[in-house]
Amino acid sequence: MTDLPDAVAAAAHDPLVITLLIFALGGLLTHLLFRKQPLGRAVARVIFLIALTIVLLRAGVVPYEARYLAPTSFQVAVHGTLKIAWWLLAAWFLVGVLRAFVVTEHRPREGKLVQDLLAGVIYLAAVFAIIAYVFDLPIQGLLATSGAIAIILGLALQSTLADVFSGIVLTFSRPYRPGDWISIDGSTDGRVIEMNWRATHVLTVNRDLAIVPNSAIARAKILNASSPSGTHGMTVTIQLDAKTPPGAAGEILERAMLNSRLILATPPSSIIVKSITASSTEFDITFFVEELAQASRAQNELFDLIFRHLAASGVELAATQSQPYSPLQTAASQRAANGPERALNLVEIFATLTAEERQSLAPKLKQRTYDRGETLVDPGMVLHSLFIIGAGVLSVTSVVSEGGIELMRLGPGDHFGEIGLLTGAAATAKISALVPTTVYELTKDDLAPVLEARPPVAQELCRALARRQAAGQLIPSPAIDKTISANRVASWFADRLHRLFDLTSSK
């Protein structure tokens, strides 16, 4: 106890004790003054490291030597604290230099991973240096002990470590990136929204979040639908009645694919005759869409278009074993064997007509045929009839100064000319044939008796036109776009029909 005053006096005159106090105060002030200025904190730390190095060396304290010249235990503790601070600041400085100069511009994610791994090694080396040069402990025994501990931890964390190392491998190999559409073993399909060291987060097509461990992905078969491009291909199978020659049936299927704007022209689609029997011909249809997200919608649209094109051509699907060939079905189809009747059967607005009414209306349709590339409607033309597509594919294009912008494609069962018929407005788009096409014209005089005799047809026509207008499937009409609200389009069509055809309102 008698040596305490002398120890305090000696410590008060030790420059390293004063340095420790100054550094503690300086660190506190730096934290308060540069809390939101990371650059200022970095400059202050560099200054502290340089000043601490000079002070330690002038006092004869070498940070990488495990010896102390201080006379008291308190001063030894102060010297050890300053040496620990020096090693930590030195490690921080090396990590900063590493992050500044070890940069991978073209692969930032991999560069960040390398920086983190090297930073971990630097801080671990600083910890071992502190143990060896500050606490003067043999690191050989510590390494042996830590090795045994590492083995125990490795066994306990085997699955987690497998995920981490698999994440490192996936980060460098990059089989996919955030935003890519992938399929993992055919069981998990969706878009990658996040990748980390442990797992990959996939947003499935059902809008569910699937978190897949990286170790499972490393062992799985990965299909990247977004690489090398976002184009996605798919194949559907169609079986047609064997009475239709495969060549003619293949041409009808090609028109159905051409009718869909979701199906890409490049890469080209293909139709392969897979098999042919006495009762059916089987086709494999391969086509491509811009991305996997459009696959289901494109497939549904293609099936609908195939049905319409087959029905318009009088071609039937193959009968299944559960629904064998029936002469009655063939007789029913023969009754609608001519083109006008088949076209009317596909038109939505005439769905409420009876078969006899459609048969009586069919002879009034005037047939027009157009070759590939021929123009049916030019901008500025006024159409006074309803035109129904019986076969083929039409392209509706908006003509602008930079060229044409395709708005939609029309196929069997679609119609145009209704806006000009109701409003007298000129067409604002160009309509041309992509393949040889048959169109049927139904004039106002021929349509009026149908609407007068069957008011539901007029109502359905108004509702169908309103739906098509809302879906952007009508040639744009300035009269509608500028003056009619979306929820009043059906009423607007009904008013026009009543005034044009002098119909009696019916409830």
Side-chain angles (χ1 to χ4, degrees):
M1 298 295 294
T2 55
D3 296 333
L4 182 58
D6 296 335
V8 173
H13 292 83
D14 189 340
L16 293 182
V17 175
I18 300 174
T19 300
L20 178 61
L21 295 175
I22 294 175
F23 268 66
L25 181 60
L28 179 61
L29 292 176
T30 300
H31 177 73
L32 295 176
L33 295 177
F34 302 105
R35 179 179 300 178
K36 297 183 180 180
Q37 300 179 21
L39 180 60
R41 290 199 307 269
V43 172
R45 289 179 182 178
V46 172
I47 294 174
F48 286 165
L49 177 60
I50 296 174
L52 182 59
T53 303
I54 295 173
V55 171
L56 289 177
L57 293 179
R58 292 192 62 179
V61 178
V62 182
Y64 49 86
E65 291 183 359
R67 61 187 182 89
Y68 296 95
L69 304 178
T72 64
S73 58
F74 176 73
Q75 290 174 289
V76 170
V78 171
H79 295 184
T81 302
L82 291 175
K83 290 171 71 174
I84 292 173
W86 187 89
W87 278 109
L88 293 178
L89 284 173
W92 169 85
F93 178 75
L94 290 177
V95 170
V97 173
L98 169 74
R99 296 191 184 280
F101 291 98
V102 180
V103 178
T104 308
E105 295 182 356
H106 299 290
R107 307 188 76 176
R109 183 177 178 84
E110 289 79 350
K112 181 66 165 56
L113 177 60
V114 171
Q115 290 177 356
D116 292 341
L117 291 175
L118 293 178
V121 171
I122 291 174
Y123 281 118
L124 184 61
V127 171
F128 280 112
I130 291 172
I131 295 173
Y133 299 125
V134 177
F135 297 101
D136 196 17
L137 296 175
I139 62 173
Q140 293 83 359
L142 180 63
L143 290 175
T145 303
S146 62
I149 296 174
I151 293 175
I152 297 173
L153 291 176
L155 293 175
L157 303 174
Q158 185 175 2
S159 60
T160 302
L161 292 176
D163 292 336
V164 171
F165 284 108
S166 297
I168 295 174
V169 173
L170 292 174
T171 298
F172 279 97
S173 60
R174 304 188 80 174
Y176 52 82
R177 303 179 183 182
D180 287 354
W181 284 90
I182 65 172
S183 175
I184 303 173
D185 266 345
S187 59
T188 303
D189 301 336
R191 185 188 293 272
V192 179
I193 60 174
E194 182 183 347
M195 298 171 58
N196 55 45
W197 286 20
R198 182 189 173 277
T200 296
H201 297 210
V202 180
L203 185 65
T204 67
V205 292
N206 295 326
R207 309 304 295 175
D208 299 323
L209 181 63
I211 302 177
V212 187
N214 289 330
S215 58
I217 298 178
R219 296 189 301 267
K221 175 184 176 181
I222 304 173
L223 175 64
N224 191 336
S226 300
S227 180
S229 66
T231 303
H232 176 69
M234 57 189 307
T235 301
V236 298
T237 300
I238 298 292
Q239 290 185 341
L240 302 182
D241 190 272
K243 294 190 295 294
T244 304
E251 184 177 353
I252 295 173
L253 297 177
E254 287 180 356
R255 293 183 179 184
M257 287 193 294
L258 183 63
N259 204 162
S260 174
R261 297 182 64 212
L262 294 175
I263 297 178
L264 299 177
T266 304
S269 304
S270 64
I271 300 176
I272 299 175
V273 181
K274 189 175 181 181
S275 65
I276 184 169
T277 65
S279 60
S280 66
T281 305
E282 186 174 5
F283 296 86
D284 274 351
I285 304 175
T286 301
F287 59 93
F288 298 86
V289 294
E290 287 187 356
E291 59 179 1
L292 182 61
Q294 297 179 342
S296 299
R297 188 157 61 98
Q299 177 176 294
N300 294 339
E301 182 179 78
L302 178 60
F303 281 142
D304 177 74
L305 292 172
I306 288 176
F307 175 85
R308 289 162 52 188
H309 280 265
L310 292 176
S313 302
V315 178
E316 298 179 356
L317 295 171
T320 61
Q321 293 181 355
S322 60
Q323 187 181 4
Y325 170 81
S326 172
L328 295 178
Q329 294 177 353
T330 303
S333 63
Q334 291 293 334
R335 287 196 295 268
N338 64 77
E341 288 185 39
R342 292 196 296 265
L344 289 175
N345 290 340
L346 294 173
V347 179
E348 182 181 8
I349 61 176
F350 297 134
T352 58
L353 294 180
T354 64
E356 291 74 13
E357 288 173 330
R358 281 194 288 269
Q359 289 177 5
S360 62
L361 183 61
K364 300 178 181 180
L365 299 181
K366 299 177 182 178
Q367 179 176 319
R368 301 174 183 268
T369 57
Y370 300 90
D371 292 330
R372 177 181 178 181
E374 191 172 352
T375 300
L376 286 73
V377 178
D378 282 314
M381 291 181 58
V382 180
L383 303 177
H384 297 289
S385 302
L386 182 67
F387 295 87
I388 301 170
I389 294 91
V393 182
L394 299 179
S395 174
V396 181
T397 305
S398 175
V399 180
V400 294
S401 58
E402 296 79 7
I405 301 176
E406 188 175 51
L407 302 177
M408 70 187 82
R409 292 182 183 178
L410 305 177
D414 291 328
H415 47 84
F416 62 92
E418 53 282 301
I419 298 299
L421 179 65
L422 296 178
T423 67
T428 59
K430 175 183 177 181
I431 302 179
S432 56
L434 297 180
V435 294
T437 303
T438 299
V439 177
Y440 298 102
E441 180 183 1
L442 183 61
T443 64
K444 171 189 172 183
D445 294 336
D446 293 328
L447 181 60
V450 177
L451 299 180
E452 292 174 356
R454 295 294 303 274
V457 174
Q459 297 172 6
E460 182 58 32
L461 173 61
C462 297
R463 286 192 291 265
L465 294 179
R467 288 194 297 268
R468 292 186 61 190
Q469 178 72 16
Q473 296 176 348
L474 290 181
I475 300 176
S477 172
I480 297 177
D481 293 344
K482 294 181 179 180
T483 63
I484 307 301
S485 61
N487 58 349
R488 297 290 300 168
V489 173
S491 299
W492 184 86
F493 279 125
D495 178 68
R496 287 283 178 169
L497 275 175
H498 283 80
R499 284 193 291 171
L500 181 65
F501 295 101
D502 295 327
L503 300 179
T504 303
S505 299
S506 60
K507 301 294 182 182

